[in-house]
Amino acid sequence: MFHKGFFKGILGAGVALTLATGLPAIAQETVKVGLILPMTGASASTGRQIEAAAKLFIAQNGNKVAGKTIELIVKDDQGTADMSKRLAQELVVNDKVSILGGFGLTPLALAVGPVATQAKVPAIIMAAGTSMIVDQSPFFVRTSFTLPQNTTPIAVWSAKNGIKKVVTLVSDFGPGLDAEKSFKAGFEANGGQVIEQLRAPLANPDFAAFLQKAKDLKPDAVFLFVPSGQGATLMKQVAERGLAQAGIKVIGTGDVTDDDLLNSMGDDLIGMITSHNYSTDHNSPENAAFVAAFNKANPNMRPNFMAAGGYDGMALIYKALEKTGGSTDGVKLVEAMKGLAWTSPRGPISIDPATRDIIQNVYIRKVEKKNGQLYNVEFDTIPNFKDPTHK
Ligand code: DHB
């Protein structure tokens, strides 16, 4: 009849508090948030970034919201969908979490959807970017980005900046296929032509043969998408194939020029143009404060776009709990999340009430060296851009 935390509060510290202050013990109730992240394996950097950002948000804002105490639980799914699903079930049934979040890759998010729907627990997508994920459960709300949202601006920009023929090369899974389709749509609608569409496997990719094929086709540019963590391997092979020497430009989404790895990619990247929702270099007071605090708490890490998704995911949870007055009813929380808007380190963002997906600025950026370090420097903005493929 009563929530477990109620008895715990009454029988534990709550009794002393009630006697000492007269405050009701219910005020001590804990709201558990379960993050399911790849902390090991090929996408471990995504997990590390999101965990660091979520912990930073709590450190900055306190662990109390609307009279409740927030408890963060982080679980490692090792990047496998079976594990994501099992962890989601355990978090809901055993730990009694009120909210799930994380999901480092599209297949991992998709595995959790049915659990969220059945348990009526909000599931905040802080990383995965395939457009259709939010359609798979009414309890999904996204604070990351979608590939149609992040790709369309570079497609339009390329067509308007002298690039006429492009070969696309993407990772062969959900977000890569979204990127491939959106690039072609945006580029061809503005007069360009995609002459070949290449797909590399997601696991242990060797890009050399694909890049050679792209080079042999003599396009004006090659468009690239790989998930966070693979950009350095890809760009090393791009340099080895000598695309620049052959007069072929390299463009992509910001997943490729990931801030987490950019400094290790070398000066060959200077001048590369991408579109994306977040850059460590974003010029705003909110971002300067975020980057400084993130660096202080994690001395050897630069916050990347995954960190932005995790930080804003926690902001969304806090704002929704404030709106529900601390109620953890899943339906009420999702309703409270719809339409929320605030200024993130990446700029203004909001949750589209119709799709539960994020609306945000997408920036056109160029890799430049500043103070001896490589950055994605934003030079154009597509404001409040929705995923153009959502109905
Ligand atoms: C996805 C994962 C990434 O690391 C990324 O950069 C973009 C999309 C995904 O699985 O949806």
Side-chain angles (χ1 to χ4, degrees):
M1 194 165 87
F2 289 107
H3 190 276
K4 211 168 100 199
F6 183 73
F7 284 113
K8 229 168 116 192
I10 291 281
L11 299 173
V15 175
L17 188 73
T18 306
L19 296 176
T21 67
L23 284 175
I26 196 88
Q28 297 299 297
E29 199 181 317
T30 298
V31 174
K32 293 183 183 174
V33 176
L35 297 190
I36 303 172
L37 293 167
M39 301 305 300
T40 53
S43 296
S45 63
T46 297
R48 275 201 306 275
Q49 288 275 347
I50 293 178
E51 181 184 32
K55 288 188 168 163
L56 175 63
F57 184 89
I58 295 171
Q60 288 178 322
N61 294 277
N63 67 347
K64 301 271 192 295
V65 57
K68 303 286 171 95
T69 302
I70 303 294
E71 181 186 333
L72 193 70
I73 304 175
V74 177
K75 298 281 185 187
D76 177 14
D77 64 14
Q78 300 171 17
T80 64
D82 288 349
M83 187 86 99
S84 312
K85 178 162 193 173
R86 188 158 59 72
L87 289 171
Q89 284 163 338
E90 285 174 10
L91 284 165
V92 166
V93 174
N94 302 342
D95 297 296
K96 310 240 176 318
V97 299
S98 302
I99 300 161
L100 290 166
F103 323 127
L105 291 164
T106 289
L108 313 181
L110 292 175
V112 171
V115 180
T117 303
Q118 210 203 344
K120 297 188 164 45
V121 166
I124 315 306
I125 304 164
M126 301 176 177
T130 304
S131 184
M132 61 70 166
I133 302 172
V134 286
D135 303 330
Q136 309 307 307
S137 170
F139 290 88
F140 272 139
V141 182
R142 179 152 39 200
T143 58
S144 48
F145 53 84
T146 80
L147 268 300
Q149 181 179 52
N150 274 343
T151 304
T152 304
I154 187 68
V156 175
W157 186 90
S158 303
K160 292 185 171 169
N161 284 274
I163 296 173
K164 296 193 163 42
K165 286 186 169 31
V166 164
V167 174
T168 60
L169 169 56
V170 302
S171 290
D172 191 4
F173 76 125
L177 304 190
D178 267 5
E180 178 189 273
K181 204 168 155 192
S182 298
F183 187 88
K184 186 176 165 76
F187 190 55
E188 297 195 340
N190 288 279
Q193 190 195 355
V194 172
I195 58 172
E196 181 66 282
Q197 297 176 307
L198 304 171
R199 298 174 183 175
L202 174 62
N204 307 312
D206 181 355
F207 302 106
F210 298 107
L211 291 167
Q212 187 60 48
K213 180 152 192 215
K215 186 181 174 187
D216 292 344
L217 289 163
K218 298 190 182 357
D220 299 315
V222 176
F223 165 85
L224 302 173
F225 166 81
V226 288
S228 188
Q230 291 193 0
T233 310
L234 171 62
M235 292 313 295
K236 187 164 175 276
Q237 295 186 15
V238 166
E240 283 165 5
R241 290 293 115 189
L243 264 63
Q245 290 79 351
I248 300 169
K249 292 192 175 69
V250 180
I251 53 176
T253 62
D255 309 78
V256 178
T257 59
D258 187 344
D259 283 304
D260 197 43
L261 298 169
L262 186 60
N263 262 320
S264 72
M265 295 189 204
D267 290 358
D268 281 348
L269 263 84
I270 293 173
M272 179 166 168
I273 293 175
T274 57
S275 53
H276 219 216
N277 61 314
Y278 177 72
S279 168
T280 311
D281 188 59
H282 178 67
N283 186 8
S284 72
E286 292 81 9
N287 191 48
F290 171 65
V291 173
F294 191 97
N295 285 151
K296 194 163 175 225
N298 311 274
N300 299 315
M301 266 169 89
R302 239 188 203 194
N304 72 356
F305 60 108
M306 295 302 184
Y311 193 76
D312 290 329
M314 290 308 297
L316 176 71
I317 290 167
Y318 273 48
K319 286 173 194 300
L321 281 165
E322 276 163 12
K323 250 173 104 176
T324 65
S327 168
T328 53
D329 179 277
V331 173
K332 284 188 189 151
L333 279 173
V334 171
E335 279 310 307
M337 289 175 187
K338 292 179 183 174
L340 276 174
W342 68 98
T343 304
S344 146
R346 63 185 111 166
I349 63 174
S350 65
I351 302 298
D352 186 345
T355 60
R356 289 164 280 104
D357 220 332
I358 187 163
I359 302 174
Q360 60 191 330
N361 293 351
V362 178
Y363 306 91
I364 313 285
R365 315 97 52 82
K366 185 191 249 180
V367 177
E368 288 179 21
K369 202 162 206 174
K370 285 190 184 179
N371 307 322
Q373 295 205 32
L374 296 178
Y375 287 100
N376 292 290
V377 178
E378 296 166 351
F379 65 88
D380 204 358
T381 305
I382 296 85
N384 302 317
F385 192 54
K386 288 186 195 187
D387 178 322
T389 66
H390 282 319
K391 281 164 226 103

